[in-house]
Amino acid sequence: MKPTCYFINTARGGCVDQNALVLALQEGLIAGAGIDVTVDEPISPGNPLLKIQNVILTGHAAWYSIASEVEVHYKPMTQVVSALKGEWPLYAVNPEVKKNWMNKWGRKV
């Protein structure tokens, strides 16, 4: 990277060698960093990234926007309503329990 570049990470903390990033920032090898995720979540108080002036850290919330309102609020509520109606929730993560769940809670037709 050029010394004028900024490193941005909104994916996963393990995608970058954090020690190498700290060194690059401290030695001016890059201009700065915007980091939404760190290797340790939550970030530890002693993490050197917290002391570097040209680093912006967000609390693993860079994904949040007005457009994400549907994902954060509307979709989960639709799943609760479906379950209360006796329907198998669309986003259920344990499909292996579907038969037992439907036998106990499912809508009787």
Side-chain angles (χ1 to χ4, degrees):
M1 293 175 69
K2 295 178 183 180
T4 56
C5 290
Y6 286 82
F7 176 81
I8 308 293
N9 186 10
T10 61
R12 296 284 179 257
C15 291
V16 64
D17 179 338
Q18 191 168 283
N19 293 330
L21 176 61
V22 168
L23 183 64
L25 289 162
Q26 290 172 336
E27 295 189 5
L29 300 175
I30 61 174
I35 302 170
D36 184 52
V37 290
T38 54
V39 174
D40 300 317
E41 292 281 336
I43 193 167
S44 64
N47 191 305
L49 290 170
L50 294 170
K51 296 180 178 129
I52 301 174
Q53 291 285 326
N54 53 342
V55 172
I56 295 175
L57 292 159
T58 56
H60 207 155
W63 62 272
Y64 186 76
S65 68
I66 296 298
S68 70
E69 286 290 322
V70 170
E71 297 295 323
V72 175
H73 300 290
Y74 180 74
K75 280 188 177 179
M77 289 310 301
T78 61
Q79 298 308 290
V80 170
V81 170
S82 291
L84 291 172
K85 288 180 176 179
E87 300 167 1
W88 180 249
L90 181 63
Y91 300 108
V93 294
N94 292 4
E96 64 274 5
V97 302
K98 181 177 182 178
K99 182 180 177 185
N100 289 339
W101 188 91
M102 290 300 290
N103 285 337
K104 183 172 183 177
W105 302 105
R107 180 177 13 182
K108 308 297 185 237
V109 180

XYZ file of all heavy atoms in Angstrom:
841
model
N 0.846 -1.185 0.000
C 0.000 0.000 0.000
C 0.884 1.238 0.000
O 1.964 1.243 0.572
C -0.909 0.000 1.232
C -1.954 -1.110 1.241
S -2.938 -1.194 2.774
C -3.911 0.289 2.669
N 0.366 2.280 -0.605
C 1.071 3.558 -0.608
C 0.934 4.201 0.773
O -0.020 3.937 1.498
C 0.468 4.493 -1.650
C 0.620 4.022 -3.066
C -0.058 5.017 -3.996
C 0.014 4.548 -5.428
N -0.638 5.517 -6.320
N 1.848 5.099 1.117
C 1.745 5.782 2.411
C 0.516 6.680 2.528
O 0.165 7.112 3.616
C 3.024 6.609 2.490
C 3.913 6.124 1.419
C 3.084 5.391 0.427
N -0.166 6.944 1.415
C -1.367 7.783 1.439
C -2.650 6.961 1.551
O -3.738 7.526 1.615
C -1.431 8.635 0.155
O -1.379 7.762 -0.977
C -0.291 9.639 0.104
N -2.527 5.639 1.577
C -3.700 4.757 1.620
C -4.230 4.583 3.042
O -3.485 4.673 4.009
C -3.338 3.383 1.066
S -3.060 3.398 -0.701
N -5.525 4.320 3.102
C -6.189 3.997 4.364
C -6.653 2.548 4.301
O -7.217 2.114 3.306
C -7.403 4.910 4.596
C -7.009 6.302 4.984
C -6.651 7.228 4.019
C -6.980 6.675 6.322
C -6.276 8.509 4.377
C -6.600 7.957 6.683
C -6.257 8.862 5.706
O -5.882 10.124 6.060
N -6.429 1.830 5.362
C -6.876 0.448 5.468
C -8.260 0.439 6.098
O -8.470 1.035 7.157
C -5.900 -0.365 6.330
C -6.356 -1.766 6.566
C -6.157 -2.739 5.604
C -7.005 -2.117 7.741
C -6.590 -4.041 5.809
C -7.441 -3.408 7.946
C -7.237 -4.366 6.979
N -9.218 -0.224 5.450
C -10.587 -0.316 5.961
C -10.928 -1.794 6.126
O -10.737 -2.586 5.207
C -11.607 0.314 4.979
C -11.206 1.731 4.582
C -13.016 0.238 5.548
C -11.249 2.733 5.695
N -11.435 -2.170 7.294
C -11.865 -3.547 7.516
C -13.230 -3.558 8.189
O -13.375 -3.147 9.337
C -10.861 -4.329 8.366
C -11.232 -5.802 8.475
O -12.115 -6.291 7.780
N -10.546 -6.510 9.349
N -14.231 -4.042 7.452
C -15.564 -4.251 8.019
C -15.961 -5.715 7.940
O -17.105 -6.060 8.178
C -16.621 -3.402 7.279
O -16.654 -3.806 5.904
C -16.323 -1.925 7.398
N -15.007 -6.582 7.585
C -15.304 -8.006 7.396
C -15.106 -8.791 8.683
O -16.039 -8.958 9.462
C -14.422 -8.571 6.278
N -13.901 -9.239 8.933
C -13.568 -10.025 10.121
C -12.215 -9.575 10.643
O -11.326 -9.209 9.880
C -13.488 -11.530 9.780
C -14.785 -12.138 9.324
C -15.712 -12.370 10.529
N -16.979 -12.927 10.131
C -18.105 -12.234 10.040
N -18.118 -10.956 10.297
N -19.227 -12.819 9.706
N -12.048 -9.635 11.950
C -10.785 -9.227 12.555
C -9.612 -10.070 12.109
O -8.504 -9.571 11.934
N -9.853 -11.352 11.888
C -8.786 -12.255 11.503
C -8.327 -12.108 10.060
O -7.392 -12.789 9.636
N -8.955 -11.221 9.296
C -8.565 -11.023 7.893
C -7.267 -10.241 7.767
O -6.744 -10.098 6.661
C -9.661 -10.268 7.136
S -11.153 -11.218 6.886
N -6.785 -9.710 8.846
C -5.582 -8.883 8.793
C -4.639 -9.295 9.920
O -5.077 -9.714 10.984
C -5.939 -7.384 8.903
C -6.571 -7.051 10.234
C -4.729 -6.509 8.673
N -3.371 -9.161 9.646
C -2.358 -9.360 10.688
C -2.338 -8.069 11.504
O -1.765 -7.063 11.097
C -0.996 -9.629 10.037
C 0.118 -9.830 11.044
O -0.006 -9.381 12.206
O 1.131 -10.432 10.658
N -3.002 -8.094 12.645
C -3.181 -6.882 13.439
C -1.853 -6.288 13.899
O -1.694 -5.069 13.917
C -4.091 -7.166 14.635
C -4.536 -5.912 15.351
C -5.640 -6.203 16.337
O -6.783 -6.375 15.947
N -5.300 -6.254 17.616
N -0.895 -7.126 14.249
C 0.416 -6.613 14.661
C 1.103 -5.874 13.511
O 1.710 -4.821 13.716
C 1.308 -7.747 15.172
C 0.784 -8.340 16.464
O 0.158 -7.655 17.266
N 1.009 -9.618 16.659
N 1.003 -6.417 12.297
C 1.587 -5.756 11.127
C 0.870 -4.440 10.838
O 1.509 -3.442 10.472
C 1.523 -6.679 9.916
N -0.443 -4.408 11.031
C -1.208 -3.174 10.824
C -0.780 -2.106 11.816
O -0.554 -0.953 11.440
C -2.708 -3.452 10.951
C -3.623 -2.231 10.851
C -3.477 -1.545 9.504
C -5.065 -2.640 11.110
N -0.648 -2.477 13.083
C -0.200 -1.528 14.107
C 1.171 -0.971 13.744
O 1.398 0.240 13.796
C -0.184 -2.190 15.509
C 0.547 -1.331 16.520
C -1.607 -2.481 15.971
N 2.081 -1.825 13.338
C 3.421 -1.395 12.953
C 3.367 -0.441 11.761
O 4.016 0.611 11.767
C 4.285 -2.617 12.628
C 5.744 -2.336 12.275
C 6.477 -1.738 13.476
C 6.427 -3.614 11.821
N 2.580 -0.779 10.740
C 2.451 0.071 9.553
C 1.898 1.446 9.916
O 2.346 2.470 9.392
C 1.565 -0.601 8.515
N 0.945 1.480 10.838
C 0.372 2.760 11.284
C 1.377 3.562 12.099
O 1.540 4.767 11.903
C -0.897 2.500 12.101
C -2.101 2.005 11.300
C -3.122 1.361 12.221
C -2.714 3.144 10.506
N 2.045 2.914 13.018
C 3.007 3.603 13.884
C 4.197 4.155 13.100
O 4.727 5.207 13.434
C 3.498 2.663 14.985
C 2.447 2.349 16.018
C 2.862 1.271 17.010
O 3.722 0.431 16.726
N 2.225 1.282 18.176
N 4.604 3.460 12.041
C 5.764 3.880 11.260
C 5.392 4.743 10.064
O 6.251 5.118 9.272
C 6.572 2.657 10.823
C 7.171 1.933 12.024
C 8.159 0.847 11.634
O 8.468 0.701 10.429
O 8.630 0.150 12.552
N 4.099 5.066 9.925
C 3.672 5.917 8.828
C 3.711 5.255 7.463
O 3.751 5.942 6.443
N 3.688 3.935 7.434
C 3.708 3.225 6.155
C 2.370 3.332 5.433
O 2.304 3.174 4.215
C 4.083 1.759 6.366
C 5.462 1.524 7.004
C 5.682 0.049 7.277
C 6.559 2.086 6.109
N 1.286 3.593 6.182
C -0.024 3.887 5.611
C -0.582 5.098 6.351
O -0.152 5.421 7.460
C -0.991 2.682 5.684
C -1.249 2.244 7.121
C -0.481 1.527 4.845
C -2.317 1.157 7.260
N -1.556 5.768 5.711
C -2.074 7.020 6.272
C -2.989 6.821 7.478
O -3.052 7.674 8.358
C -2.809 7.802 5.189
N -3.692 5.712 7.524
C -4.615 5.491 8.637
C -5.434 4.242 8.423
O -5.228 3.497 7.460
N -6.372 4.031 9.334
C -7.208 2.836 9.263
C -8.593 3.124 9.827
O -8.750 3.903 10.768
C -6.562 1.686 10.036
N -9.579 2.495 9.216
C -10.946 2.493 9.710
C -11.298 1.042 9.989
O -11.313 0.224 9.078
N -11.539 0.719 11.227
C -11.698 -0.680 11.623
C -13.009 -0.869 12.377
O -13.263 -0.217 13.387
C -10.505 -1.129 12.496
C -9.207 -0.921 11.710
C -10.663 -2.575 12.926
C -7.971 -1.104 12.525
N -13.825 -1.773 11.854
C -15.102 -2.096 12.484
C -15.003 -3.370 13.300
O -15.833 -3.618 14.162
C -16.179 -2.253 11.411
C -17.554 -2.498 12.000
O -17.962 -1.710 12.871
O -18.210 -3.458 11.592
N -13.995 -4.186 13.013
C -13.815 -5.462 13.698
C -12.352 -5.641 14.068
O -11.462 -5.207 13.353
C -14.267 -6.648 12.820
C -15.756 -6.667 12.667
C -13.609 -6.611 11.463
N -12.127 -6.242 15.199
C -10.762 -6.514 15.632
C -10.632 -8.010 15.901
O -11.631 -8.732 15.951
C -10.420 -5.723 16.918
O -11.401 -5.997 17.909
C -10.380 -4.227 16.649
N -9.416 -8.455 16.072
C -9.183 -9.871 16.337
C -9.932 -10.293 17.599
O -10.601 -11.321 17.626
C -7.672 -10.164 16.455
C -7.425 -11.600 16.887
C -6.983 -9.883 15.118
N -9.842 -9.484 18.642
C -10.555 -9.753 19.892
C -11.796 -8.879 19.952
O -11.711 -7.662 19.871
C -9.661 -9.449 21.105
C -8.401 -10.287 21.107
O -8.487 -11.486 20.824
O -7.326 -9.724 21.396
N -12.945 -9.508 20.063
C -14.209 -8.782 20.208
C -14.793 -9.119 21.574
O -14.959 -10.294 21.862
C -15.204 -9.204 19.115
C -14.816 -8.783 17.729
C -15.123 -7.332 17.428
O -16.017 -6.764 18.086
O -14.465 -6.756 16.564
N -15.070 -8.165 22.427
C -14.790 -6.744 22.232
C -13.297 -6.461 22.345
O -12.546 -7.249 22.925
C -15.569 -6.071 23.357
C -15.659 -7.098 24.428
C -15.701 -8.435 23.716
N -12.908 -5.332 21.817
C -11.501 -4.952 21.828
C -11.027 -4.773 23.272
O -11.750 -4.233 24.109
C -11.269 -3.678 20.990
C -9.784 -3.458 20.741
C -11.946 -2.484 21.595
C -9.480 -2.418 19.686
N -9.837 -5.261 23.554
C -9.319 -5.154 24.923
C -8.801 -3.737 25.174
O -8.313 -3.080 24.255
C -8.206 -6.174 25.156
O -7.106 -5.884 24.316
N -8.918 -3.253 26.402
C -8.481 -1.889 26.727
C -7.000 -1.639 26.424
O -6.611 -0.514 26.159
C -8.747 -1.760 28.229
C -9.740 -2.823 28.542
C -9.508 -3.931 27.555
N -6.184 -2.672 26.416
C -4.762 -2.505 26.151
C -4.382 -2.610 24.683
O -3.196 -2.538 24.338
N -5.358 -2.773 23.801
C -5.061 -2.918 22.377
C -4.387 -1.646 21.860
O -4.897 -0.546 22.047
C -6.347 -3.189 21.603
C -6.085 -3.607 20.180
O -5.409 -2.925 19.426
N -6.651 -4.741 19.804
N -3.229 -1.772 21.187
C -2.505 -0.596 20.713
C -3.279 0.229 19.686
O -3.011 1.427 19.532
C -1.224 -1.175 20.102
C -1.438 -2.626 19.960
C -2.525 -3.016 20.912
N -4.245 -0.361 19.006
C -5.041 0.402 18.033
C -5.781 1.557 18.705
O -6.048 2.575 18.079
C -6.044 -0.520 17.322
C -5.459 -1.530 16.343
C -6.527 -2.520 15.904
C -4.847 -0.822 15.142
N -6.104 1.396 19.979
C -6.827 2.444 20.711
C -5.983 3.682 20.959
O -6.527 4.754 21.263
C -7.337 1.892 22.048
C -8.391 0.802 21.949
C -8.628 0.173 23.316
C -9.679 1.347 21.372
N -4.677 3.567 20.830
C -3.783 4.680 21.130
C -3.250 5.381 19.879
O -2.508 6.338 19.985
C -2.610 4.179 21.971
C -3.038 3.652 23.326
C -1.865 3.169 24.132
C -2.370 2.706 25.488
N -1.938 1.413 25.846
N -3.634 4.904 18.714
C -3.101 5.472 17.475
C -4.058 6.541 16.952
O -5.245 6.279 16.745
C -2.863 4.358 16.434
C -1.873 3.333 16.993
C -2.336 4.949 15.128
C -1.674 2.112 16.118
N -3.548 7.742 16.748
C -4.358 8.897 16.366
C -5.077 8.732 15.024
O -6.176 9.236 14.850
C -3.476 10.155 16.304
C -2.972 10.615 17.649
C -4.060 11.295 18.461
O -4.932 11.958 17.918
N -4.016 11.122 19.770
N -4.451 8.079 14.063
C -5.039 7.986 12.718
C -5.834 6.695 12.505
O -5.898 6.160 11.412
C -3.951 8.138 11.646
C -2.788 7.185 11.838
O -2.592 6.630 12.910
N -2.016 6.999 10.792
N -6.473 6.227 13.569
C -7.329 5.037 13.514
C -8.723 5.421 13.985
O -8.887 6.086 15.003
C -6.773 3.899 14.412
C -7.767 2.751 14.503
C -5.447 3.408 13.885
N -9.709 5.001 13.220
C -11.111 5.155 13.626
C -11.640 3.752 13.877
O -11.560 2.878 13.017
C -11.947 5.854 12.544
C -11.464 7.289 12.358
C -13.426 5.816 12.906
C -12.131 8.024 11.230
N -12.167 3.545 15.066
C -12.730 2.241 15.451
C -14.228 2.390 15.660
O -14.686 3.356 16.274
C -12.091 1.746 16.745
C -10.615 1.371 16.653
C -9.969 1.394 18.016
C -10.472 0.006 16.027
N -14.980 1.441 15.135
C -16.413 1.398 15.405
C -16.700 0.064 16.092
O -15.988 -0.907 15.890
C -17.245 1.524 14.110
O -16.864 0.504 13.204
C -17.044 2.885 13.472
N -17.721 0.029 16.877
C -18.047 -1.154 17.682
C -18.773 -2.238 16.911
O -19.863 -2.642 17.296
N -18.180 -2.711 15.834
C -18.754 -3.753 14.994
C -20.167 -3.359 14.572
O -21.104 -4.159 14.617
C -18.748 -5.095 15.717
C -18.696 -6.256 14.770
N -18.191 -7.458 15.137
C -19.058 -6.396 13.484
C -18.272 -8.298 14.121
N -18.796 -7.664 13.109
N -20.317 -2.112 14.152
C -21.624 -1.608 13.754
C -21.586 -0.851 12.430
O -22.519 -0.143 12.103
C -22.165 -0.681 14.848
N -20.525 -1.000 11.650
C -20.425 -0.274 10.385
C -21.503 -0.712 9.397
O -21.835 0.013 8.476
C -19.041 -0.460 9.771
N -22.061 -1.888 9.595
C -23.105 -2.391 8.707
C -24.406 -1.606 8.862
O -25.253 -1.605 7.994
C -23.390 -3.863 9.016
C -23.890 -4.029 10.423
C -23.137 -4.209 11.529
C -25.241 -3.958 10.873
N -23.922 -4.275 12.643
C -25.226 -4.120 12.264
C -26.460 -3.786 10.229
C -26.389 -4.116 13.022
C -27.606 -3.771 10.998
C -27.563 -3.936 12.376
N -24.581 -0.923 9.979
C -25.868 -0.312 10.297
C -26.165 0.894 9.420
O -25.339 1.773 9.260
C -25.918 0.100 11.767
C -27.281 0.604 12.168
C -28.320 -0.286 12.383
C -27.532 1.951 12.280
C -29.578 0.157 12.726
C -28.802 2.410 12.629
C -29.816 1.507 12.845
O -31.063 1.949 13.162
N -27.326 0.920 8.862
C -27.792 2.050 8.067
C -29.313 2.051 8.108
O -29.941 1.119 8.611
C -27.314 1.927 6.619
O -27.959 0.837 5.999
N -29.911 3.076 7.538
C -31.371 3.139 7.474
C -31.901 1.927 6.710
O -32.898 1.329 7.079
C -31.831 4.447 6.808
C -31.412 5.650 7.656
C -33.327 4.451 6.560
C -32.012 5.677 9.042
N -31.196 1.534 5.649
C -31.633 0.394 4.852
C -31.634 -0.905 5.660
O -32.367 -1.826 5.354
C -30.744 0.239 3.624
N -30.825 -0.969 6.705
C -30.758 -2.193 7.499
C -31.903 -2.312 8.487
O -32.037 -3.347 9.141
C -29.423 -2.268 8.240
O -29.369 -1.297 9.258
N -32.748 -1.300 8.584
C -33.899 -1.366 9.500
C -34.735 -2.610 9.244
O -35.207 -3.251 10.167
C -34.774 -0.122 9.364
C -34.180 1.120 9.985
C -34.157 1.058 11.499
O -35.103 0.545 12.116
O -33.165 1.547 12.060
N -34.921 -2.964 7.974
C -35.705 -4.157 7.634
C -35.039 -5.394 8.216
O -35.702 -6.246 8.806
C -35.849 -4.291 6.098
C -36.443 -5.644 5.727
C -36.712 -3.163 5.561
N -33.729 -5.476 8.073
C -33.008 -6.642 8.568
C -33.052 -6.729 10.088
O -33.204 -7.797 10.649
C -31.546 -6.597 8.103
C -31.368 -6.658 6.606
C -31.819 -7.973 6.003
O -31.620 -9.029 6.635
O -32.380 -7.946 4.897
N -32.901 -5.600 10.749
C -32.760 -5.587 12.203
C -34.099 -5.705 12.928
O -34.195 -6.365 13.945
C -32.029 -4.305 12.656
C -31.977 -4.190 14.158
C -30.634 -4.278 12.089
N -35.132 -5.082 12.396
C -36.399 -5.021 13.128
C -37.533 -5.804 12.465
O -38.205 -6.591 13.102
C -36.828 -3.565 13.326
C -35.838 -2.765 14.091
N -35.599 -2.956 15.425
C -34.987 -1.785 13.710
C -34.655 -2.123 15.846
N -34.266 -1.410 14.812
N -37.744 -5.570 11.193
C -38.906 -6.147 10.528
C -38.806 -7.659 10.366
O -39.733 -8.382 10.721
C -39.110 -5.473 9.170
C -40.288 -6.012 8.408
C -41.587 -5.681 8.788
C -40.114 -6.880 7.336
C -42.673 -6.195 8.101
C -41.194 -7.387 6.648
C -42.468 -7.040 7.029
O -43.544 -7.550 6.362
N -37.705 -8.163 9.837
C -37.594 -9.605 9.590
C -37.718 -10.440 10.858
O -38.454 -11.428 10.867
C -36.305 -9.931 8.840
C -36.411 -9.665 7.362
C -35.190 -10.178 6.630
C -35.331 -9.975 5.146
N -34.147 -10.454 4.423
N -37.032 -10.082 11.940
C -37.209 -10.902 13.149
C -38.658 -10.914 13.646
O -39.159 -11.953 14.082
C -36.286 -10.245 14.174
C -35.263 -9.532 13.362
C -35.980 -9.083 12.131
N -39.328 -9.780 13.556
C -40.710 -9.726 14.038
C -41.635 -10.584 13.172
O -42.563 -11.208 13.681
C -41.211 -8.280 14.090
C -40.552 -7.478 15.204
S -40.595 -8.288 16.830
C -42.328 -8.479 17.114
N -41.371 -10.619 11.865
C -42.204 -11.473 11.013
C -42.020 -12.933 11.379
O -42.967 -13.720 11.286
C -41.896 -11.273 9.513
O -40.542 -11.624 9.250
C -42.168 -9.844 9.069
N -40.831 -13.296 11.826
C -40.572 -14.681 12.217
C -41.280 -15.028 13.523
O -41.778 -16.144 13.686
C -39.068 -14.927 12.332
C -38.334 -14.734 11.012
C -38.969 -15.528 9.887
O -38.884 -16.740 9.866
N -39.634 -14.850 8.959
N -41.326 -14.082 14.433
C -42.056 -14.290 15.690
C -43.539 -14.479 15.391
O -44.185 -15.400 15.913
C -41.830 -13.111 16.664
C -42.776 -13.200 17.849
C -40.383 -13.067 17.119
N -44.083 -13.638 14.532
C -45.496 -13.744 14.177
C -45.775 -15.095 13.516
O -46.757 -15.765 13.838
C -45.925 -12.566 13.264
C -47.319 -12.788 12.689
C -45.867 -11.256 14.042
N -44.896 -15.511 12.603
C -45.067 -16.818 11.952
C -45.096 -17.940 12.982
O -45.955 -18.831 12.926
C -43.932 -17.077 10.956
O -44.038 -16.221 9.856
N -44.151 -17.911 13.906
C -44.093 -18.962 14.930
C -45.348 -18.955 15.795
O -45.890 -20.016 16.121
C -42.843 -18.787 15.796
N -45.831 -17.769 16.156
C -47.040 -17.690 16.971
C -48.273 -18.189 16.217
O -49.239 -18.638 16.826
C -47.258 -16.261 17.462
C -46.241 -15.777 18.504
C -46.434 -14.293 18.786
C -46.329 -16.589 19.777
N -48.225 -18.123 14.898
C -49.314 -18.652 14.074
C -49.190 -20.165 13.877
O -50.041 -20.781 13.251
C -49.301 -17.986 12.696
C -49.750 -16.565 12.676
C -49.671 -16.066 11.229
C -50.180 -14.677 11.052
N -50.048 -14.243 9.636
N -48.106 -20.747 14.382
C -47.902 -22.176 14.216
C -47.196 -22.530 12.927
O -47.230 -23.670 12.481
N -46.550 -21.558 12.305
C -45.812 -21.786 11.066
C -44.332 -21.912 11.376
O -43.818 -21.249 12.275
C -46.034 -20.626 10.100
C -47.498 -20.428 9.727
C -47.750 -19.102 9.031
O -46.796 -18.331 8.808
O -48.926 -18.836 8.719
N -43.629 -22.751 10.625
C -42.182 -22.902 10.796
C -41.505 -21.614 10.341
O -41.728 -21.158 9.223
C -41.681 -24.095 9.990
C -40.208 -24.330 10.094
C -39.291 -24.166 9.101
C -39.479 -24.766 11.240
N -38.032 -24.479 9.553
C -38.122 -24.852 10.871
C -39.832 -25.096 12.541
C -37.117 -25.258 11.741
C -38.832 -25.499 13.402
C -37.509 -25.574 13.011
N -40.701 -20.982 11.196
C -40.048 -19.720 10.835
C -39.091 -19.889 9.642
O -38.310 -20.838 9.584
C -39.270 -19.344 12.097
C -39.918 -20.109 13.193
C -40.427 -21.370 12.561
N -39.174 -18.970 8.718
C -38.377 -19.019 7.495
C -36.876 -19.041 7.782
O -36.121 -19.726 7.099
C -38.712 -17.801 6.622
C -38.000 -17.691 5.286
C -38.359 -18.863 4.379
C -38.359 -16.379 4.615
N -36.434 -18.312 8.788
C -35.002 -18.196 9.072
C -34.551 -19.072 10.248
O -33.528 -18.806 10.856
C -34.623 -16.739 9.344
C -34.937 -15.843 8.171
C -35.988 -14.939 8.229
C -34.201 -15.924 7.001
C -36.294 -14.126 7.148
C -34.495 -15.123 5.918
C -35.544 -14.223 5.997
O -35.830 -13.433 4.921
N -35.300 -20.109 10.551
C -34.914 -21.008 11.637
C -33.557 -21.628 11.328
O -33.274 -21.986 10.183
C -35.959 -22.094 11.819
N -32.725 -21.750 12.339
C -31.368 -22.262 12.131
C -31.201 -23.714 12.564
O -30.127 -24.267 12.425
C -30.312 -21.381 12.855
C -30.262 -20.002 12.247
C -30.584 -21.318 14.341
N -32.255 -24.341 13.061
C -32.181 -25.741 13.490
C -33.193 -26.578 12.721
O -34.167 -27.071 13.288
C -32.469 -25.861 14.988
C -31.403 -25.249 15.842
O -30.470 -24.658 15.332
N -31.534 -25.390 17.141
N -32.962 -26.802 11.424
C -33.960 -27.551 10.654
C -34.162 -28.977 11.151
O -35.216 -29.569 10.926
C -33.410 -27.528 9.229
C -31.972 -27.201 9.360
C -31.822 -26.388 10.621
N -33.182 -29.520 11.880
C -33.318 -30.891 12.374
C -34.396 -31.023 13.448
O -34.843 -32.127 13.748
C -31.967 -31.432 12.875
C -31.383 -30.705 14.059
C -30.555 -29.465 13.709
O -30.493 -29.082 12.537
O -29.997 -28.887 14.653
N -34.841 -29.929 14.019
C -35.888 -30.003 15.042
C -37.265 -29.656 14.483
O -38.245 -29.626 15.213
C -35.576 -29.081 16.255
C -34.252 -29.450 16.882
C -35.616 -27.621 15.881
N -37.328 -29.414 13.178
C -38.585 -28.961 12.577
C -39.745 -29.921 12.845
O -40.822 -29.490 13.246
C -38.422 -28.753 11.074
C -39.693 -28.254 10.405
C -39.494 -27.982 8.931
C -40.777 -27.438 8.321
N -40.601 -27.124 6.900
N -39.530 -31.219 12.641
C -40.619 -32.191 12.815
C -41.170 -32.139 14.229
O -42.388 -32.045 14.437
C -40.129 -33.599 12.479
C -41.209 -34.638 12.578
C -40.672 -36.019 12.225
C -41.771 -37.054 12.396
N -41.280 -38.410 12.178
N -40.299 -32.186 15.241
C -40.756 -32.136 16.643
C -41.429 -30.810 16.960
O -42.440 -30.768 17.661
C -39.590 -32.385 17.590
C -39.115 -33.815 17.554
O -39.845 -34.708 17.138
N -37.887 -34.052 17.977
N -40.862 -29.723 16.449
C -41.432 -28.399 16.715
C -42.822 -28.302 16.104
O -43.765 -27.843 16.746
C -40.513 -27.303 16.148
C -40.931 -25.920 16.546
C -40.522 -25.229 17.636
C -41.847 -25.063 15.857
N -41.115 -23.989 17.673
C -41.952 -23.865 16.573
C -42.598 -25.194 14.698
C -42.743 -22.805 16.183
C -43.413 -24.136 14.298
C -43.473 -22.967 15.044
N -42.948 -28.745 14.845
C -44.247 -28.666 14.176
C -45.275 -29.556 14.867
O -46.446 -29.182 14.971
C -44.105 -29.049 12.694
C -43.343 -28.017 11.865
S -44.109 -26.375 11.845
C -45.555 -26.668 10.864
N -44.844 -30.729 15.361
C -45.775 -31.610 16.083
C -46.294 -30.946 17.348
O -47.461 -31.100 17.722
C -45.121 -32.949 16.428
C -44.999 -33.851 15.229
O -45.734 -33.704 14.249
N -44.054 -34.767 15.262
N -45.427 -30.209 18.029
C -45.815 -29.588 19.303
C -46.503 -28.226 19.091
O -47.516 -27.947 19.724
C -44.587 -29.408 20.190
C -44.923 -28.848 21.558
C -43.739 -28.849 22.481
C -44.136 -28.344 23.853
N -43.051 -28.399 24.807
N -45.939 -27.380 18.234
C -46.396 -25.990 18.124
C -47.092 -25.671 16.810
O -47.731 -24.623 16.695
C -45.220 -25.028 18.283
C -44.505 -25.190 19.573
C -43.288 -25.788 19.749
C -44.926 -24.772 20.862
N -42.935 -25.760 21.083
C -43.925 -25.131 21.787
C -46.063 -24.131 21.335
C -44.028 -24.863 23.136
C -46.165 -23.858 22.698
C -45.159 -24.241 23.571
N -46.917 -26.528 15.827
C -47.424 -26.227 14.488
C -48.938 -26.117 14.412
O -49.663 -26.703 15.226
N -49.360 -25.379 13.413
C -50.794 -25.152 13.207
C -51.452 -26.471 12.829
O -51.003 -27.188 11.955
C -50.994 -24.126 12.100
C -52.423 -23.824 11.822
C -52.644 -22.774 10.793
N -51.450 -22.459 10.032
C -51.400 -21.536 9.101
N -52.472 -20.855 8.797
N -50.304 -21.294 8.442
N -52.507 -26.791 13.524
C -53.261 -28.026 13.251
C -54.313 -27.679 12.183
O -55.150 -26.825 12.376
C -53.952 -28.552 14.514
C -53.037 -28.696 15.699
C -51.924 -29.705 15.466
C -51.093 -29.903 16.720
N -49.697 -29.663 16.597
N -54.242 -28.397 11.079
C -55.175 -28.110 9.968
C -56.325 -29.081 10.000
O -56.282 -30.187 10.362
C -54.433 -28.206 8.616
C -55.392 -27.908 7.473
C -53.268 -27.242 8.606
